[in-house]
Structure formats: C-alpha cells, structure tokens
Amino acid sequence: MDTGFSISLLDIRPIVPEITMVCAGLILLLLDLVVRKKEVVAFVGIVGAIVALYGTFKLYGLSEPQIAFSNMFILDGYANFFKLIFYLNVIMTIGISVKYMKVEKASYGEYYALLLFSTTGMMIMASAGDLIVLYLGLELMALSTYILAGLLRGQTRSNEAALKYFFLGAFSSAFLLYGIALTYGITGTTNISDIAVSLLTLDIVGNPVTMLGIIFIIVAFGFKIALIPFHMWAPDVYEGAPTSVTAFMSVGPKAAGFAVLGRVLFDAFGVMQVQWVSILIPLAVLTMAGGSIIALAQTNIKRMLAYSSIAHAGYMLLGIIAGTSIGLTSTVNYLMIYLFMNMGAFAIVIMMRREGFQGENIEDYMGLAKDHPLASALMLVFMFSLAGIPPTAGFIGKFYVFMAAIHEGYTYLAIIAVVFSAVSAFFYLRIVVYMYMKDPKESVTLTTSPSLSIVLAVTAMMVLILGIFPSILLNLVRYSILG
Amino acid sequence: MVPLSWYIMLSAVMFSIGVFGFLARRNLIIIFMSIELMLNSVNISLVAFSHYLQSMRGQILVFFVIAVAAAEAAIGLAILIAYYKNNPTIKVDEITGLKG
C-alpha cells in the first residue's frame, strides 16, 4: 500500500523516547546560551537521557511488538534492548567528558546536544522498519558524530579526524543508498518485512541484482562497524577525535550498525542466509586477524584500542554468522558487555590527560601502579576483560558468541577466533606489564572528577558482576529478543 | 519511451565515475564532488525505478536524499574550512598528521 498512509495519535506512543531525546537536545542548545557553567548543561543532558530511558522502560512492559507509521517504525524487545545500550553509552560518555572537555579547553554546550542527537539517530536505526527510516537515522547519527570528532577546532589532528571520518562516512552512505535503490528496484518496496515477502513471491532469491543490493548494504555497514577491509578510517579517527568522543563512537555507532545488520539480514533477507553468510565469513576472519595483529605494533593507546575495537567487531560478527536467534542473542549480549569494558578503559585513558600532558603513549603507563594503585587495578580489570580472561565479563561475551558459532557448525571460525583472541591478550597484557613491572619514567598525576569516578565504579562493578553472574544480563537479552 | 535499463545503465556509470573520482583524485573538493555524483546517480535510479514500478516510495526517498545531501554538504564544508584554517592545504597527500 503506497498511497494509504494514515497517521493516528496512537502512532506517537512508540516514538516518545525519541521525541524526548530530541526535545532534551533542543533544550540543551537553548540552555547553553544562558548558562555559563557547562556542568549544568551536562547534568540536564543526563536528566534528559534518563527521562527517555524511563519512557523506554514503560514501553518495555508491552509484550506485543508495536508498529507505528504504516510499518515504518517497529518497537520490539530487540529495539528496546539496543536503546538501553545507547542510553547507557550516552550517559556514561557525558559522565567522563565534563572534566575532560575543560582540560581540552573545549567546554561547548552544543557538545552535549550533539551527543543526544547522535543517540537519537542510533535509536531510530534500531527501530527502523523501513529502509528510508534506516537511512535517515543513520545520517542523523553520522552527521552529529562527524562534528563531534572535529570538536577541538584548534587542534589539527581533531580537524583531520573529522575530515577523514566525514569523507569515508559519506562514501559509505552512498554505497548504502545504492544498495537500497537496487533492493527497491527488484523487490518493489523498501519495507523490511515486505522485502522478505517479495523475495519469495517474485522468486528473486538468486537474482544477481538482489545479491548486489545485499553486498552494497553489507559494505556500507562494514564501514560503520569498521570491518577489515573497510576499517582504514577507524584508527586515525579514534586517535584524532577527543577521547570522550572516541569512547562514545567506539560503542554507539558500532552497536547501531549491528542492530541494523541484525534487523536487515534476519528480517528482510532471512531467506538468503546462505548468500550473506558466505560474504560475512571472510570479513569476520580478516577482521579478527587484522585487528589483533596490527594492534601489536601500536604505541598510542587510543590507536591500540581502535584496533582492539576492530577485532571485537569480528568476534561479534560470529553471532550474526551463526544466523540463529541464539547467535543474535550472543552478539547483543557481547555488545552490552563491550560497552562496559570499553567505556571503563577509555575512562582511565581520559584520567591520564591533564594540561600539558597527553598521556596517550603506552609508555606513559610505566609504573602507574606505584603512584596510583586503584586506577591501575581498574585498568587491569578492563584489560583482562577485553582480552577475555575468565573471571571478567569479556570472557562471558566471547564464550557465548563462540558457542553459538560452534552450535551451527562453524567450529573452524571459533578456533580462528580463539587463536586471535590469544594473540590479542599480548597487547592488552602489555599495558598491565608496563603498569606493574616497570619503573615510572616520571610521576603522573591523574585528573579525576566525581562523575568520572562514578562511571569507573559502575563499569568496573558491571564487568566483575556480569563475569561472575552472567545469567542476569543473558536472561534480559533472551527476554528481549526471544520474548 | 526510453526503457528502464538505459536509466539503470546511466546510473551505474555515474556511480562508477563517482567511486573512481573518490579513490583516484587528490583534491578534497573534487573528492567531495565525486560523493555528490554518487548520491545523484542513486537518485536517478530511484526515480527510474519509482516510475517503472508506479510506486511513490522511491521518489519520497529521493527528496530525503537531496535534503540530507544538503546537510552533509554544509557539515562537510564546515569541517574542511576548520581544517584549512589550521593547515592551509586541500591536497590529500599532504594530510598525513595521523598515520594510518
């Protein structure tokens, strides 16, 4: 039905969280004009995100998936769980940025507004029931993040990061659009559930144009979630962007990309699973291998975490490749765990930054344990978790993803993943060795703030709790996705 | 009446020229123009499909693409100017502050 669009007031209810986020962002922009202290703006931003979170929480109780705007917008447990990841991501990012932006002399109020707008884009992506809505959500997310990456206007490397991110991001969204156009041309619709129907009724499953459409869409999201060989922007952008923004975009856009991949590949192209799995397998192997091996050579911790984030995207992809709802569950579970451990690691990196000292070289961590035992212990927990060592959550995340892959007969993929996971332990543990077993070159003072300490405490606690009691998170994920 | 395949061919050729321009040219403004070329080639194929299928969805998407492309141009050029203020060059080969 192309002509009979009708919008009723009931359609508004599922998008209340998104509306709340946009309103909060607009309020922040106005508040920025009248309030001198940017801490207030940051606090209002957190409050806005929490109000939206409450809205999502109220909608969570509805067991039936909600469909609004003529099937353009879907609100199901899957979308709701991803929104939870995005809220936590934006709240914790604001928590770690307040002091950091002051140190960088870039306390702009619009920074917080852009974080909220970008998060709104991700939420729309997670809920998209139509490729048009998906594209709009993607652009809202991406355009806000381009600006965030270049926020430190006076620094050449921040400008350069924004420039590279912008050009490759625009390039990839052109690919996405071409993929959408081809899919629309052959199926006659852009609606995700209608595409699945058309693929069967028109008998175009093996059609080269359909294949081309899927390839273009996968390439576009390969750029967004930084799969090798589409990763070349990631290390440069992660290094040049302000550290708080790096933390934000190493989790948010990646999770949004996976949300869309899960939705489009499973719901729209579910019948073509054999085809898209055969595209994803080489990408996953390359990503795991490349990310882990190149990270070994890095001397800058932000670059190292960039390659680590690439490698993690490869592990997460295994859950999608498994192609079952259990596989999808394990990927989503991994994303939530990755949010905590990655955010914690970046919070420590941010603490190292003070006026006149970047604190981004791995050698700056030498002997940190002598002066700052608590910070080093927390870094140790996050590094163990990123490496996937048992009592931490990172192990649980990897375990379920590998189990899902083995369950579907991809044992060789799981073996490759474990091998490169062992390789990656080398560069994570190198940080630990530097902190505990080397002598300090110079004494380091850490920049702390109450909000940063809260984020650190929460992330460290979650990494340990989810490592010891994984069923808490896993049950929530299962409830959300499987119903 | 021009058959659908001609439009699709035109769109594919334009898209390929855009991709080639993005990868091969060394001037940021030209690269930016190549991206616009890619977006507009998609618009051609969307409108052609939309007319062929007698469905409005493609044309609606084209309007969104045009609007987003305008926003993208605003942000992209702003980023370019911010860069140029610190580093007066628009040659890709000279932008090597961050090593990939």
Side-chain angles (χ1 to χ4, degrees):
Chain A
M1 285 290 285
D2 269 339
T3 43
F5 284 122
S6 68
I7 295 172
S8 77
L9 209 59
L10 259 180
D11 282 345
I12 302 292
R13 198 167 67 157
I15 62 161
V16 165
E18 281 81 1
I19 296 178
T20 316
M21 289 292 273
V22 172
C23 289
L26 295 175
I27 289 170
L28 288 192
L29 283 179
L30 290 176
L31 206 62
D32 181 37
L33 294 175
V34 287
V35 179
R36 175 102 13 118
K37 289 188 76 165
K38 298 306 170 210
E39 287 87 347
V40 179
V41 182
F43 181 73
V44 175
I46 291 180
V47 170
I50 289 174
V51 171
L53 175 64
Y54 178 72
T56 298
F57 177 71
K58 289 298 266 186
L59 291 165
Y60 219 110
L62 308 168
S63 52
E64 290 284 300
Q66 305 270 303
I67 291 168
F69 300 106
S70 313
N71 229 342
M72 287 262 172
F73 193 89
I74 306 172
L75 191 80
D76 49 8
Y78 179 73
N80 271 330
F81 192 83
F82 269 105
K83 285 178 193 179
L84 188 63
I85 297 180
F86 302 145
Y87 291 133
L88 289 175
N89 183 29
V90 73
I91 291 172
M92 292 204 283
T93 306
I94 294 178
I96 60 176
S97 355
V98 179
K99 182 82 184 202
Y100 171 74
M101 289 323 257
K102 229 184 220 166
V103 174
E104 293 282 4
K105 297 198 178 57
S107 305
Y108 309 122
E110 64 264 29
Y111 169 73
Y112 303 103
L114 284 168
L115 282 179
L116 291 192
F117 289 142
S118 179
T119 307
T120 315
M122 296 172 201
M123 288 160 65
I124 294 174
M125 281 168 80
S127 274
D130 193 288
L131 296 179
I132 299 178
V133 178
L134 190 160
Y135 170 69
L136 291 177
L138 176 93
E139 286 296 333
L140 178 55
M141 173 193 88
L143 292 178
S144 314
T145 330
Y146 301 149
I147 308 175
L148 285 172
L151 205 75
L152 306 176
R153 287 192 296 251
Q155 292 187 14
T156 312
R157 60 178 204 152
S158 179
N159 299 146
E160 194 177 321
L163 206 61
K164 286 182 173 165
Y165 195 23
F166 170 76
F167 276 105
L168 286 160
F171 188 60
S172 76
S173 58
F175 271 94
L176 174 70
L177 272 175
Y178 205 62
I180 291 177
L182 290 176
T183 311
Y184 168 67
I186 191 119
T187 60
T189 177
T190 52
N191 194 293
I192 288 177
S193 48
D194 291 350
I195 288 174
V197 176
S198 299
L199 282 178
L200 287 176
T201 51
L202 300 176
D203 194 24
I204 43 176
V205 170
N207 194 300
V209 178
T210 328
M211 273 308 285
L212 211 55
I214 292 190
I215 291 173
F216 275 124
I217 290 175
I218 288 179
V219 166
F221 284 102
F223 270 104
K224 286 284 170 238
I225 58 183
L227 298 178
I228 292 177
F230 315 114
H231 70 290
M232 49 296 197
W233 60 274
D236 287 358
V237 174
Y238 282 30
E239 185 189 343
T243 313
S244 54
V245 175
T246 310
F248 178 75
M249 68 188 184
S250 64
V251 180
K254 196 180 286 276
F258 272 103
V260 168
L261 268 189
R263 174 91 70 195
V264 171
L265 294 183
F266 280 68
D267 290 359
F269 296 108
V271 287
M272 297 182 66
Q273 200 184 337
V274 184
Q275 283 92 334
W276 55 254
V277 162
S278 61
I279 304 170
L280 288 180
I281 287 176
L283 289 180
V285 172
L286 268 178
T287 307
M288 290 185 292
S292 306
I293 291 170
I294 307 174
L296 295 173
Q298 303 307 317
T299 53
N300 180 306
I301 190 152
K302 279 164 86 178
R303 272 190 105 77
M304 191 203 90
L305 285 171
Y307 282 108
S308 123
S309 144
I310 292 171
H312 280 282
Y315 304 134
M316 292 170 200
L317 210 54
L318 291 188
I320 305 262
I321 288 172
T324 53
S325 50
I326 296 171
L328 198 57
T329 313
S330 65
T331 298
V332 176
N333 182 45
Y334 197 139
L335 275 166
M336 186 58 125
I337 289 168
Y338 181 70
L339 161 74
F340 289 118
M341 55 196 190
N342 201 47
M343 196 56 83
F346 273 109
I348 303 274
V349 176
I350 280 185
M351 279 170 80
M352 297 286 287
R353 172 85 169 101
R354 61 164 200 275
E355 251 165 278
F357 180 66
Q358 289 283 353
E360 284 174 13
N361 285 328
I362 290 176
E363 288 176 358
D364 295 336
Y365 288 79
M366 277 187 183
L368 192 69
K370 294 232 167 52
D371 294 338
H372 307 283
L374 183 62
S376 315
L378 290 174
M379 192 62 165
L380 174 103
V381 169
F382 298 131
M383 286 299 136
F384 271 35
S385 184
L386 284 166
I389 293 169
T392 55
F395 169 72
I396 300 299
K398 277 187 183 148
F399 178 74
Y400 281 103
V401 170
F402 296 168
M403 277 301 285
I406 291 171
H407 198 72
E408 292 305 308
Y410 297 107
T411 317
Y412 66 100
L413 272 182
I415 292 171
I416 294 173
V418 171
V419 167
F420 286 111
S421 188
V423 171
S424 74
F426 176 79
F427 60 81
Y428 293 126
L429 296 186
R430 187 170 57 181
I431 306 272
V432 176
V433 169
Y434 273 39
M435 285 193 306
Y436 282 92
M437 297 174 193
K438 299 257 172 148
D439 289 323
K441 275 199 300 194
E442 51 177 327
S443 68
V444 175
T445 28
L446 296 178
T447 315
T448 53
S449 70
S451 58
L452 187 104
S453 312
I454 293 172
V455 171
L456 266 179
V458 169
T459 48
M461 233 166 58
M462 291 308 279
V463 165
L464 290 175
I465 290 176
L466 295 178
I468 299 165
F469 307 106
S471 57
I472 308 172
L473 178 60
L474 212 60
N475 285 341
L476 181 65
V477 182
R478 285 205 183 115
Y479 168 75
S480 308
I481 293 179
L482 307 173
Chain B
M1 169 129 167
V2 185
L4 176 70
S5 54
W6 288 30
Y7 291 106
I8 307 307
M9 287 297 287
L10 172 68
S11 154
V13 168
M14 266 176 74
F15 191 84
S16 313
I17 293 173
V19 173
F20 178 78
F22 183 91
L23 298 173
R25 298 304 290 262
R26 287 284 164 263
N27 182 313
L28 280 176
I29 302 291
I30 306 271
I31 290 176
F32 193 60
M33 283 163 61
S34 304
I35 291 175
E36 295 292 318
L37 194 65
M38 288 164 73
L39 291 178
N40 283 322
S41 76
V42 172
N43 286 349
I44 289 178
S45 64
L46 277 172
V47 172
F49 280 134
S50 180
H51 183 73
Y52 174 76
L53 296 163
Q54 291 297 310
S55 113
M56 289 303 289
R57 278 177 191 269
Q59 295 185 37
I60 292 168
L61 181 50
V62 167
F63 278 113
F64 283 125
V65 173
I66 293 171
V68 169
E72 214 165 51
I75 288 173
L77 292 175
I79 290 173
L80 202 59
I81 289 171
Y83 181 82
Y84 193 77
K85 271 186 183 161
N86 291 328
N87 248 34
T89 176
I90 51 166
K91 298 224 170 61
V92 175
D93 297 331
E94 290 167 21
I95 303 177
T96 49
L98 300 165
K99 285 274 163 14

